[in-house]
Amino acid sequence: MSLKIYCGSRIENLAEKLKEFLLKDRRGKDPFLFSKVVVPNVNVAKWLQIRMFAKDPDLCAGIQFPFMEKELTELMMAGLSPKDRAEVELLPDHAYAKAIVSILLAGPDGQKEYDKLAPFRSYIMNSDDSAKAVAITEQKQAAMTWQLADKLANLMDSYEVYRPEIVEEWLGTGKCPYDLPKGATAEAEAALARALWGANGKFQQDGKLLSLRQLYNRVKGKAPSETPKTIYFFGQSTLSVLQAQILVWLAKTHNVVVFYRNPCREFWEDIQTAKEERKARGESIAGANPEEEVICENELLKTLGIAGRETLRLLVELEASPDEAERIGFDRESLDDEESADETVLEKMQESIRRRTSTVATCRQDASVQIVGTPGVRREVEMVYNSILGSVARPKEVQGKRPWPDCSFSDIAVLVPDMQTYRPVIEAVFDARGEVPYGLLDTSASDDSNYLRGFLSLIELGRRGLNRERLFNVLENPCVQRALGFAREDVVKWRELTEKIGAFDGFEHDDDTGYFDWSSALKRLRLARLANKVSDEDGNDIPLVNAGGEEALKLSEVVQLLYRDLSDTLFDGSGESRDLPLLAARRDGVARTDCWAGRLERLAKSYLAVEKDDKLENKVCQSVIGTLYSLGEISGNQSFELAASAVEHFVGGIPCRKGGFLTSGVTIGGFSSLSAIPFKQVDMMGM
């Protein structure tokens, strides 16, 4: 069996070569057997289906597009015996972050290297006292805890995937094989690694839940599944050390074909960044003078190609020096033999990168590459909008020749560095004018999910008290309206009524200043049912029929129900936040109410409901409940802040999509999600 790597600077050439392989493989074979093409994201799969395979519908129907980690896991699982396969599974999402929170919040009992974690623990503690477990009592402290855990989880995952030898040394000798900076933080990282993967760690090598590295360690001495097949990997811009090791292991039995996008067809593994060049000359980075830098390389390749350079070095090492006992058929081929026309500025820049030349021949400026400065984000979006209209408009509608003939909206992409910042401006400009259809990628559940917003607004109402605006943030949520059985029109009437009767803040006051609290206002509403009128804050009578009638009494019921349930769920009798376990044991399959998972689940099911065919909201609903019940390993009592912040942090990041993609309109998304897809026009903002 073999490992075949096709390199090319043009993604279209790689896709055509992949298409040749697939057509040959599927010719004369069972149409119900699927071929698999491993892709980095769903956008690349969509592009292949729409642009490359559209003329071959039979080919489209016979291909599956799994992601890298999922497919590698399945292939390694196939190398285990049926008994071992039933006993292990890959770690679920965010498992590291939740385990790290458990490690950092626990006391010194049972933690051999507890003191070494002090740099991390001091970040989330309210005091310098590290002799006991940390109690999370504030919203800010809870958010800081999950943010730190997420950063550390990404760091530990990067060590496993890109530098697995460091992890193995930490778990073995306790020393790092590289000359990394010493100090308390480095010792804390090593201690955290041992707390996760050591002999007594959260995820031991002989446990049931395994990371990708641990799973590979179990199977690398064994042969892959006995049935040989061809496995395609397409569009991967980078490969890690661990992924490369797994590909070599798979190539012992299978034919592994990798389509790798290589921006330069020359030998460029030795290219160095400006920082690396100064370090090689023994110069101080801090004292370097940019004016003295000598340009001897293609600056774009040197600046933007570092990740690709590391992957290329890794592939060369695999080809040059595999172990004799594990030698496989290794072949690498370039698909960049043809010469470019070099007619436009963009083509000249691309060709200079492919040839690794330091300069671009002078040429007349054209519309292929344009750099425009703008005074602000809104003006930037407006200029991009006008540029799109000018590119798609017919020649008779614009002055001059269009730079891209036959350009449609679906041929255009807009890349943004930060969707959270640009999204409201993009929607305001594009929706107001309405001439350009578009689809938004890289949005999140925190922006698009009514269910998540409703859950968090309920928590905020309970956390900060019964304020008018916080109350109506809950009542205006469609999921809350569906669960409690009222409509948006009812909420409009309730808002008008509360403004007239003067209900502002707090449910009930003990002193004489409580005329404007909700208890007094609701009491006036109930008394008004007898007199069929209600008085406003100035003493003027308002007929109850004109003020809302039965709707007003419905408001009274909803407000009292909300206040009672939030108080009973989140607070004890004295008004202080309850301290409960995040997850308690279950009895007869029913969640106990003496834990935060059970209490918050009951609150969500009582006040939030989604339609059965709404895929996004149902996914978010399941993720909210699943996140709550995945916090059980964090021992000790905590306030609800830790559980609520976990939902906001993890569920809020669920990726969403608004509108179509590559079908009817302009595609707007982040640099990483669209960088591998060729468009006729690409507008980059925020540069």
Side-chain angles (χ1 to χ4, degrees), residues 150-393:
D150 210 25
K151 292 290 185 182
L152 292 175
N154 290 334
L155 178 64
M156 293 294 109
D157 184 66
S158 297
Y159 276 130
E160 273 206 299
V161 174
Y162 292 96
R163 292 292 183 266
E165 63 275 10
I166 294 181
V167 176
E168 299 298 337
E169 288 294 329
W170 276 342
L171 301 182
T173 64
K175 299 179 180 180
C176 179
Y178 296 100
D179 186 19
L180 296 180
K182 309 298 182 184
T185 303
E187 293 183 359
E189 289 181 5
L192 185 59
R194 286 188 285 271
L196 288 173
W197 306 302
N200 297 317
K202 296 284 185 180
F203 310 109
Q204 307 98 316
Q205 177 67 39
D206 57 352
K208 181 177 181 179
L209 295 176
L210 301 179
S211 65
L212 199 66
R213 175 188 61 84
Q214 292 173 317
L215 182 58
Y216 173 66
N217 286 340
R218 282 204 181 186
V219 302
K220 65 181 180 180
K222 306 175 183 178
S225 59
E226 297 180 357
T227 306
K229 57 184 176 181
T230 303
I231 310 167
Y232 301 101
F233 294 83
F234 182 85
Q236 309 291 337
S237 58
T238 60
L239 282 176
S240 68
V241 174
L242 179 62
Q243 291 169 343
Q245 292 173 346
I246 297 175
L247 292 183
V248 172
W249 176 78
L250 289 172
K252 295 178 183 179
T253 304
H254 306 297
N255 289 319
V256 178
V257 185
V258 179
F259 296 88
Y260 167 67
R261 191 180 183 189
N262 183 14
C264 181
R265 63 187 180 191
E266 304 295 336
F267 180 88
W268 66 288
E269 291 91 322
D270 60 344
I271 198 170
Q272 292 181 318
T273 64
K275 181 178 178 180
E276 291 171 338
E277 289 174 352
R278 289 193 294 268
K279 185 177 180 181
R281 294 194 299 263
E283 299 176 2
S284 172
I285 296 175
N289 185 359
E291 297 179 358
E292 298 178 357
E293 293 292 333
V294 179
I295 300 177
C296 58
E297 284 286 0
N298 186 286
E299 288 297 298
L300 288 175
L301 183 63
K302 183 167 67 173
T303 305
L304 305 178
I306 302 305
R309 180 198 67 178
E310 297 302 317
T311 300
L312 196 59
R313 286 179 178 177
L314 185 62
L315 295 176
V316 170
E317 291 175 1
L318 290 177
E319 181 180 13
S321 58
D323 295 337
E324 290 296 330
E326 299 180 354
R327 184 172 293 278
I328 57 174
F330 194 105
D331 190 17
R332 184 163 55 139
E333 180 179 334
S334 174
L335 301 179
D336 276 342
D337 294 333
E338 72 279 3
E339 296 292 333
S340 172
D342 285 354
E343 295 180 352
T344 65
V345 175
L346 178 61
E347 289 173 343
K348 291 179 181 296
M349 292 174 60
Q350 292 171 336
E351 192 63 19
S352 71
I353 294 175
R354 280 192 287 269
R355 295 179 180 178
R356 194 181 173 180
T357 57
S358 58
T359 59
V360 179
T362 57
C363 57
R364 192 172 184 178
Q365 180 64 51
D366 56 33
S368 62
V369 177
Q370 301 178 76
I371 301 175
V372 182
T374 60
V377 172
R378 184 174 181 88
R379 183 57 182 151
E380 187 179 20
V381 175
E382 289 174 343
M383 293 191 69
V384 167
Y385 186 93
N386 293 333
S387 171
I388 293 171
L389 283 180
S391 299
V392 179

Side-chain angles (χ1 to χ4, degrees), residues 582-583 591-593 595-603 628-629:
L582 294 177
L583 179 63
R592 295 171 58 181
T593 58
C595 69
W596 284 120
R599 285 175 174 269
L600 294 178
E601 179 188 15
R602 185 187 65 81
L603 191 69
L628 292 172
Y629 281 103

Side-chain angles (χ1 to χ4, degrees), residues 339-486:
E339 296 292 333
S340 172
D342 285 354
E343 295 180 352
T344 65
V345 175
L346 178 61
E347 289 173 343
K348 291 179 181 296
M349 292 174 60
Q350 292 171 336
E351 192 63 19
S352 71
I353 294 175
R354 280 192 287 269
R355 295 179 180 178
R356 194 181 173 180
T357 57
S358 58
T359 59
V360 179
T362 57
C363 57
R364 192 172 184 178
Q365 180 64 51
D366 56 33
S368 62
V369 177
Q370 301 178 76
I371 301 175
V372 182
T374 60
V377 172
R378 184 174 181 88
R379 183 57 182 151
E380 187 179 20
V381 175
E382 289 174 343
M383 293 191 69
V384 167
Y385 186 93
N386 293 333
S387 171
I388 293 171
L389 283 180
S391 299
V392 179
R394 299 301 178 188
K396 64 180 181 180
E397 299 174 4
V398 296
Q399 296 295 327
K401 183 181 178 180
R402 291 179 298 161
W404 302 276
D406 302 325
C407 185
S408 63
F409 287 121
S410 60
D411 294 323
I412 300 174
V414 179
L415 306 186
V416 296
D418 182 9
M419 184 61 73
Q420 188 174 4
T421 300
Y422 277 85
R423 175 175 178 167
V425 185
I426 291 172
E427 291 180 329
V429 173
F430 279 65
D431 292 343
R433 301 191 182 184
E435 298 176 78
V436 177
Y438 69 98
L440 284 174
L441 308 182
D442 303 323
T443 62
S444 62
S446 58
D447 299 320
D448 293 337
S449 172
N450 288 322
Y451 186 94
L452 180 60
R453 284 198 293 267
F455 179 84
L456 297 178
S457 62
L458 280 170
I459 299 298
E460 189 69 7
L461 183 64
R463 176 187 286 139
R464 299 180 59 189
L466 198 60
N467 169 275
R468 180 193 293 178
E469 288 307 314
R470 288 191 288 271
L471 172 65
F472 279 96
N473 282 341
V474 173
L475 298 181
E476 289 171 351
N477 188 283
C479 294
V480 175
Q481 295 172 6
R482 189 176 295 109
L484 298 183
F486 57 86

Side-chain angles (χ1 to χ4, degrees), residues 562-581:
L562 268 171
Y563 177 75
R564 183 198 67 198
D565 280 357
L566 288 173
S567 299
D568 292 346
T569 300
L570 306 181
F571 302 99
D572 56 22
S574 63
E576 297 294 328
S577 175
R578 294 181 185 271
D579 288 333
L580 296 173

Side-chain angles (χ1 to χ4, degrees), residues 417-647:
D418 182 9
M419 184 61 73
Q420 188 174 4
T421 300
Y422 277 85
R423 175 175 178 167
V425 185
I426 291 172
E427 291 180 329
V429 173
F430 279 65
D431 292 343
R433 301 191 182 184
E435 298 176 78
V436 177
Y438 69 98
L440 284 174
L441 308 182
D442 303 323
T443 62
S444 62
S446 58
D447 299 320
D448 293 337
S449 172
N450 288 322
Y451 186 94
L452 180 60
R453 284 198 293 267
F455 179 84
L456 297 178
S457 62
L458 280 170
I459 299 298
E460 189 69 7
L461 183 64
R463 176 187 286 139
R464 299 180 59 189
L466 198 60
N467 169 275
R468 180 193 293 178
E469 288 307 314
R470 288 191 288 271
L471 172 65
F472 279 96
N473 282 341
V474 173
L475 298 181
E476 289 171 351
N477 188 283
C479 294
V480 175
Q481 295 172 6
R482 189 176 295 109
L484 298 183
F486 57 86
R488 181 175 177 273
E489 293 75 15
D490 297 326
V491 179
V492 174
K493 295 178 182 178
W494 292 348
R495 185 179 281 276
E496 294 175 355
L497 179 59
T498 55
E499 292 175 355
K500 291 178 180 179
I501 63 176
F504 288 100
D505 198 3
F507 188 79
E508 189 172 22
H509 294 86
D510 297 332
D511 51 26
D512 296 333
T513 62
Y515 185 81
F516 298 111
D517 62 30
W518 284 93
S519 179
S520 300
L522 297 178
K523 186 182 296 183
R524 294 199 299 276
L525 277 178
R526 290 191 295 271
L527 292 175
R529 183 170 179 80
L530 299 175
N532 197 33
K533 63 182 180 179
V534 65
S535 299
D536 60 16
E537 61 267 27
D538 297 326
N540 301 317
D541 291 340
I542 305 172
L544 186 61
V545 174
N546 297 335
E550 295 299 325
E551 290 83 358
L553 299 183
K554 176 67 173 178
L555 170 64
S556 176
E557 296 175 5
V558 170
V559 172
Q560 291 185 88
L561 183 65
L562 268 171
Y563 177 75
R564 183 198 67 198
D565 280 357
L566 288 173
S567 299
D568 292 346
T569 300
L570 306 181
F571 302 99
D572 56 22
S574 63
E576 297 294 328
S577 175
R578 294 181 185 271
D579 288 333
L580 296 173
L582 294 177
L583 179 63
R586 293 193 172 202
R587 293 175 179 171
D588 301 327
V590 180
R592 295 171 58 181
T593 58
D594 55 349
C595 69
W596 284 120
R599 285 175 174 269
L600 294 178
E601 179 188 15
R602 185 187 65 81
L603 191 69
K605 289 184 175 180
S606 299
Y607 290 96
L608 300 168
V610 298
E611 297 180 357
K612 292 183 178 180
D613 57 349
D614 193 327
K615 294 182 179 179
L616 170 62
E617 297 295 8
N618 279 285
K619 179 180 179 181
V620 172
C621 174
Q622 294 173 4
S623 298
V624 168
I625 306 304
T627 299
L628 292 172
Y629 281 103
S630 66
L631 303 176
E633 63 183 273
I634 303 177
S635 58
N637 289 354
Q638 296 284 349
S639 70
F640 68 90
E641 300 289 357
L642 193 63
S645 293
V647 171

